Amino acid sequence: MTLDQTLTALRRLARDPLPAVAVASSALAVALEPSLGPDVAEALRQPDRPGWVRETAERLASAPAPFSLAALPELEKRVVLANSDVFRHSWADTLDALAERSEIRCYEAEGLITEAGDTCRELLLLMEGSARVEHSDGQGGRVEHMRPGQVLDELDVLTHSASESRIVAEEAGTRVLAVPVDSFDAMLEQDPDFARRVLELESRQLRRLTREIARQPLADQP
């Protein structure tokens, strides 16, 4: 398929009734050919489109080159959620509701993301950069290095407990998507399939943590 054929197909998809399909197709078209920004934006400005679609249309109309997904925060939030282990396979409406309530945060190197003892009111997804989780386990602590796509604090969020770890950004430009716990809880109650996936994910996490702790040497007895 030639570039012109690809762009024609993407511009056609920009009129798809599904908002996420329309916006993603428009963004791909602009990434391939920045001069199409005003044209594809016009296709998204229909009055029956959700507010986030119309907002993204305005950004696409003047998108800088080279194009970056970070220039479209509302689309980026939905992409991050849809590709995370926790929210993958969730309905588009559910992802939209979560994205509307979520916030993107950016940190400098060694910036504090959470402090030990903080009440966990948000699920944190690492979007870009890297983060260091400093666990307190009574044996001098252990450090876990996180990469984009990973959840930083899911166990504390599910148990509604105070964080026992300190999370620090390891490099400048580290970005995190914060999903409010109340939105997360509502989703668990309304979507049994989602609740099952979360349970499976946390079971794997608990098994992994148990194996890591078992490999650590026992502290000297008094």
Side-chain angles (χ1 to χ4, degrees):
M1 182 179 287
T2 66
L3 176 59
D4 286 344
Q5 290 173 324
T6 300
L7 292 173
T8 298
L10 290 173
R11 294 180 70 174
R12 188 180 302 118
L13 286 171
R15 299 183 181 278
D16 194 279
L18 292 176
V21 172
V23 175
S25 301
S26 299
L28 285 171
V30 175
L32 292 171
E33 180 49 70
S35 65
L36 290 178
D39 289 341
V40 297
E42 187 62 32
L44 296 175
R45 289 194 180 106
Q46 302 169 28
D48 59 336
R49 291 292 197 185
W52 77 270
V53 174
R54 297 196 300 274
E55 176 188 334
T56 302
E58 299 308 317
R59 291 177 177 270
L60 278 172
S62 57
F67 177 84
S68 169
L69 185 59
L72 307 176
E74 290 303 321
L75 176 60
E76 187 180 27
K77 287 194 288 186
R78 287 158 175 81
V79 170
V80 170
L81 289 168
N83 284 283
S84 69
D85 287 340
V86 179
F87 301 107
R88 186 178 293 130
H89 306 308
S90 297
W91 293 346
D93 288 348
T94 301
L95 295 178
D96 281 340
L98 289 169
E100 289 290 339
R101 295 172 176 82
S102 300
E103 178 184 0
I104 297 175
R105 297 173 185 161
C106 187
Y107 298 88
E108 296 297 326
E110 296 303 311
L112 183 64
I113 299 175
T114 65
E115 182 61 274
D118 288 350
T119 301
C120 293
R121 297 187 176 91
E122 299 165 326
L123 185 77
L124 303 176
L125 293 168
L126 185 58
M127 299 173 60
E128 184 177 2
S130 61
R132 182 175 69 251
V133 184
E134 301 170 352
H135 299 281
S136 299
D137 58 10
Q139 297 184 19
R142 61 186 177 84
V143 174
E144 188 176 7
H145 297 279
M146 311 297 284
R147 293 293 179 263
Q150 292 184 284
V151 181
L152 300 181
D153 58 351
E154 69 270 31
L155 289 176
D156 295 328
V157 169
L158 286 177
T159 57
H160 295 268
S161 60
S163 175
E164 296 182 358
S165 305
R166 184 173 183 263
I167 305 176
V168 179
E170 290 191 301
E171 58 185 274
T174 292
R175 295 191 302 143
V176 170
L177 182 65
V179 184
V181 171
D182 55 355
S183 300
F184 190 77
D185 286 345
M187 191 173 172
L188 286 172
E189 294 174 2
Q190 296 169 10
D191 188 343
D193 287 338
F194 172 70
R196 175 182 53 78
R197 291 196 303 274
V198 169
L199 181 60
E200 292 172 352
L201 179 67
E202 297 315 312
S203 295
R204 292 197 300 270
Q205 176 76 341
L206 282 170
R207 288 196 296 270
R208 182 179 66 81
L209 291 174
T210 300
R211 289 195 297 268
E212 289 181 358
I213 293 172
R215 287 197 293 266
Q216 294 178 2
L218 293 175
D220 293 336
Q221 299 298 319

